[in-house]
Amino acid sequence: MQPSEIYLESLITSTPQEGRDLAIKLARKSIAAIQTDPETRKNLRANYAQDTAQLIASAQVIAVEFQTIAMANNYWKP
């Protein structure tokens, strides 16, 4: 097993926008970890780009990632 790239130093972000960007990055990294062949991922994009249900599912994954980041950053606290 090769050493992993460190791409997540912290869940703490300066703004909610940075948190959302991090959530998208985490979702993309998760997909890359599950489907390790870049060519296969590229070929699959055409399928889900036209499938509303798959796009909504992708948005849900990002939303869950953002919830985690928001909790870590106390975004709901005054």
Side-chain angles (χ1 to χ4, degrees):
M1 190 185 248
Q2 295 180 4
S4 297
E5 160 195 9
I6 296 176
Y7 63 88
L8 182 61
E9 300 269 336
S10 174
L11 292 177
I12 305 304
T13 59
S14 297
T15 66
Q17 180 65 48
E18 286 182 11
R20 184 176 181 278
D21 294 343
L22 179 57
I24 292 169
K25 181 176 185 173
L26 290 174
R28 294 182 74 182
K29 291 287 191 176
S30 294
I31 295 303
I34 294 165
Q35 177 46 264
T36 57
D37 180 35
E39 193 61 33
T40 299
R41 286 195 311 272
K42 182 179 177 184
N43 291 335
L44 291 172
R45 285 185 191 131
N47 294 336
Y48 68 76
Q50 301 298 317
D51 185 332
T52 305
Q54 288 187 52
L55 290 171
I56 291 169
S58 297
Q60 289 173 328
V61 170
I62 292 168
V64 170
E65 296 285 12
F66 184 68
Q67 281 181 315
T68 302
I69 294 162
M71 289 172 65
N73 285 277
N74 292 318
Y75 289 160
W76 290 294
K77 306 278 188 218

